[in-house]
Amino acid sequence: MLTTDWSKLPVDLLGLIASRLHFAEDWVQFGGVCKSWRTGILQNGNSSCSFLPWLMLPQRTHESSRTFYSPFKCKSYDICLSGVLDKRCWGSSHGWLVTLGANFDMHLLNPLSGVQISLPPLNRCPNLNTLICTGKSFRDSFVSKVILSSSPSSSDCVIFAIYSDNWKMAFAKPGDVAWTPLSSIRGHVDDAICHDGKFYAIDTFGEVLIWDFAGSFLKKIAFTPSRDMDNLVYVTTYLVELEGQIYAVMRLLFDTRITDTPCLSTWSFKIYKLDVFNEKWEEVKSLGDWSIFVGSNHSFSISCCAYPECESNCIYFTDDFSGVYYNAVHGYDMGTYNIQNGGVQPLIQENVSAFAFSQPLWIIPSLS
């Protein structure tokens, strides 16, 4: 009787199989068959930014275990992460979290590999000479968003931070001893992305501001979308790259309070595509075979042709505001917005965490 030694499958074949695995948990199981399989897919499989996103759920207790929910498999996974205990986190599409503790310590952390990289202290940034803020306040609300240009394993990785009530910005690279502040702005910054070697930020005055990776200001482009503000309580705008183009995604929210505590609920989105060369914006009525993920992460898009498990022409959103506005009575404002019919489908029923600094966020898992 013939037997097959599966450990000796060709490396290129292993890479081909691994490239068709859309779930990180399947990839881990595949690589766990034997040492040669794991080595083969690490060498040839696309282990970085190749999986469907997980939803990292908020901290519940003072224990280091955190829950990651896969909405495309409807499964949850508990992972012991001492590096995120009592820390605020921001997610990314590169498999890494940005963490900030009440002692001002800031790190990059890969929740699957456990690798952690120290970042310079943002509270010592040169444009914060008069900082009057406790470590807890700095963690909970002073820093609003941190994004990555690429995986920290890349030599061109840049970390971009928005802080000080969304009025200030700075950037750093892994290994830097200090943050480099960007020039001051006129208004509150909603979001930023790194695209084509440049920083793009969008503010409340309807302007997109652009810097190069050296910190030099390049130009600003007016963003004046048509929108009906009647009865609107809050509008926030995200920047996302889709097929090499920059899109502005406006999130429209109502106050649906039933007590004195504000309760913001997402009811609609508007999408605009930026023509950088002509400095014009065009409203977009459909994403086609694409979906967008926004929230306490740097915004990213996914091709539903490549990943058919993901619902096309949709915006997957998590709650940005519960730590500021809600109490334990309200659930999180997160779900899937269907652009074609305007419907919102809840993602997962999740009670609000007692820890105001901790919100649900998107992360695309990666083993490297």
Side-chain angles (χ1 to χ4, degrees):
M1 182 176 179
L2 294 176
T3 59
T4 302
D5 186 353
W6 293 102
S7 68
K8 295 185 177 180
L9 283 178
V11 170
D12 56 348
L13 179 58
L14 292 172
L16 179 62
I17 296 172
S19 68
R20 295 177 179 269
L21 300 178
H22 294 169
F23 298 96
E25 51 270 43
D26 293 343
W27 202 91
V28 171
Q29 292 174 348
F30 183 83
V33 171
C34 63
K35 183 177 180 180
S36 63
W37 281 34
R38 176 170 175 79
T39 301
I41 60 176
L42 281 174
Q43 291 176 349
N44 292 275
N46 182 13
S47 62
S48 178
C49 302
S50 61
F51 304 129
L52 285 164
W54 282 352
L55 189 62
M56 179 177 171
L57 300 183
Q59 179 173 320
R60 290 294 175 200
T61 67
H62 285 290
E63 298 178 354
S64 58
S65 179
R66 292 292 289 272
T67 300
F68 292 79
Y69 175 71
S70 173
F72 307 103
K73 274 201 167 185
C74 298
K75 291 184 178 180
S76 297
Y77 309 95
D78 290 331
I79 300 177
C80 185
L81 291 175
S82 58
V84 302
L85 179 61
D86 294 335
K87 294 181 180 180
R88 188 170 180 186
C89 299
W90 294 270
S92 78
S93 63
H94 307 295
W96 292 71
L97 297 167
V98 181
T99 68
L100 174 63
N103 58 357
F104 299 106
D105 281 353
M106 210 166 184
H107 294 85
L108 300 176
L109 172 68
N110 186 316
L112 290 187
S113 70
V115 175
Q116 187 167 255
I117 301 172
S118 295
L119 294 177
L122 184 58
N123 61 305
R124 295 179 186 173
C125 192
N127 61 359
L128 291 177
N129 290 332
T130 58
L131 175 65
I132 303 175
C133 182
T134 65
K136 182 178 181 299
S137 296
F138 195 87
R139 175 200 63 187
D140 291 359
S141 59
F142 193 86
V143 181
S144 58
K145 199 160 196 179
V146 189
I147 64 174
L148 301 177
S149 66
S150 59
S151 169
S153 60
S154 171
S155 60
D156 59 359
C157 177
V158 179
I159 304 97
F160 184 100
I162 304 171
Y163 52 98
S164 188
D165 292 328
N166 294 61
W167 287 95
K168 297 181 184 295
M169 294 169 289
F171 69 94
K173 297 181 179 180
D176 284 355
V177 297
W179 291 80
T180 300
L182 293 176
S183 53
S184 59
I185 57 172
R186 292 197 303 142
H188 172 112
V189 176
D190 277 345
D191 198 15
I193 62 170
C194 302
H195 170 72
D196 195 25
K198 301 179 182 67
F199 300 118
Y200 292 76
I202 189 163
D203 69 15
T204 52
F205 283 97
E207 292 179 339
V208 172
L209 304 107
I210 308 172
W211 297 263
D212 63 22
F213 275 9
S216 299
F217 181 74
L218 300 178
K219 64 179 177 180
K220 59 186 176 183
I221 300 174
F223 175 54
T224 53
S226 59
R227 59 188 185 188
D228 181 5
M229 295 298 291
D230 291 346
N231 299 320
L232 273 179
V233 171
Y234 199 90
V235 178
T236 188
T237 306
Y238 306 92
L239 292 178
V240 60
E241 180 181 340
L242 192 156
E243 290 192 293
Q245 301 291 319
I246 296 176
Y247 287 70
V249 179
M250 292 178 57
R251 181 175 181 175
L252 314 180
L253 304 102
F254 272 126
D255 185 348
T256 60
R257 76 179 74 189
I258 56 175
T259 65
D260 290 336
T261 302
C263 181
L264 297 178
S265 179
T266 300
W267 68 279
S268 183
F269 286 87
K270 291 187 178 223
I271 307 169
Y272 297 83
K273 182 168 68 172
L274 172 61
D275 181 343
V276 177
F277 181 77
N278 294 307
E279 300 187 6
K280 294 181 179 180
W281 292 91
E282 174 188 356
E283 186 169 3
V284 175
K285 298 296 186 180
S286 173
L287 293 176
D289 291 321
W290 287 80
S291 59
I292 288 175
F293 293 74
V294 299
S296 293
N297 55 278
H298 83 248
S299 309
F300 56 85
S301 61
I302 286 183
S303 166
C304 302
C305 289
Y307 298 90
E309 299 89 349
C310 192
E311 190 173 352
S312 63
N313 201 27
C314 286
I315 298 174
Y316 292 79
F317 61 93
T318 59
D319 199 319
D320 292 341
F321 310 104
S322 53
V324 179
Y325 295 110
Y326 293 2
N327 59 30
V329 174
H330 305 289
Y332 286 113
D333 174 38
M334 57 183 180
T336 307
Y337 176 77
N338 186 296
I339 296 171
Q340 181 175 353
N341 59 32
V344 175
Q345 181 69 33
L347 273 173
I348 181 175
Q349 297 298 321
E350 182 75 6
N351 293 328
V352 173
S353 169
F355 302 96
F357 61 84
S358 185
Q359 292 107 20
L361 57 87
W362 294 113
I363 178 172
I364 294 183
S366 171
L367 298 180
S368 61

